[in-house]
Amino acid sequence: MVQQTLESPTELLHFQLRTALTMENDSLEALGELAKAAKSPEIKKLFRHHADETREQLENLKQVFTLLEFKESTAPSPSTKGMSKQAVSLLERSAPKLRDQVALSSALGNEHYEISAYQGLILPAASMGLTDAVALLQANLDQEVHTSEELEAALEKILA
């Protein structure tokens, strides 16, 4: 398989946006699985709420593609695929009483990856003067940080 060599900061940004689109689609799928696996109605609700936010984030990404006049497409995101596989593996190996803890821990790891992905998009976009795109990406980052805090609080609560 021949891979395209990214030659410019713009090509790199486009590729990273494509990866982010895959990342959010993978996250949306994983959130459905985590909601099913969770035992607590409160945690199920938290995952459903984050799924709604993820749909908003996908729309924001699509707007960025439009703003930058990039073709909207996806690119592989092996990291998110791996995190999903790890979550499934842990859930399969865990007793039902540990499901909420495993689901929250898995989601928290994914959130931290998403936070770093958005930071990696915002910095170059800002340096290119892409103010409107930065605002949309920052909105996604802010949601990811907030979700991370919610997941951490929920995990602390069940571990107390």
Side-chain angles (χ1 to χ4, degrees):
M1 175 169 62
V2 177
Q3 294 184 356
Q4 172 192 7
T5 299
L6 303 170
E7 300 285 349
S8 71
T10 302
E11 288 177 355
L12 177 59
L13 180 64
H14 185 202
F15 185 81
Q16 289 175 304
L17 283 167
R18 293 173 56 218
T19 302
L21 197 58
T22 301
M23 171 187 77
E24 292 297 0
N25 280 318
D26 289 348
S27 293
L28 188 57
E29 185 179 328
L31 285 165
E33 295 303 315
L34 291 173
K36 286 180 198 171
K39 296 298 178 194
S40 160
E42 182 179 315
I43 293 171
K44 287 179 179 290
K45 182 180 176 183
L46 180 65
F47 287 134
R48 285 192 301 270
H49 172 69
H50 186 48
D52 291 339
E53 288 181 336
T54 301
R55 287 182 193 91
E56 291 173 23
Q57 292 163 5
L58 283 163
E59 287 307 311
N60 285 351
L61 284 171
K62 291 175 183 184
Q63 286 182 47
V64 171
F65 277 93
T66 301
L67 279 170
L68 302 181
E69 299 179 357
F70 289 160
K71 180 182 177 193
E72 184 185 315
S73 61
T74 59
S77 180
S79 298
T80 53
K81 298 275 191 257
M83 285 184 274
S84 292
K85 286 180 183 178
Q86 176 68 16
V88 167
S89 175
L90 280 172
L91 286 166
E92 288 172 350
R93 296 176 56 118
S94 299
K97 67 182 180 181
L98 295 175
R99 292 274 169 89
D100 288 345
Q101 181 179 346
V102 170
L104 288 168
S105 295
S106 297
L108 188 59
N110 192 62
E111 288 308 306
H112 286 217
Y113 176 76
E114 291 177 350
I115 288 167
S116 67
Y118 282 114
Q119 289 169 332
L121 284 166
I122 290 168
L123 291 170
S127 75
M128 293 177 195
L130 306 172
T131 312
D132 292 339
V134 168
L136 290 163
L137 296 169
Q138 185 65 52
N140 284 8
L141 175 59
D142 292 345
Q143 282 185 332
E144 300 295 3
V145 169
H146 179 72
T147 298
S148 174
E149 292 166 352
E150 288 180 334
L151 291 168
E152 189 173 337
L155 185 56
E156 287 174 351
K157 183 178 176 182
I158 66 170
L159 293 173

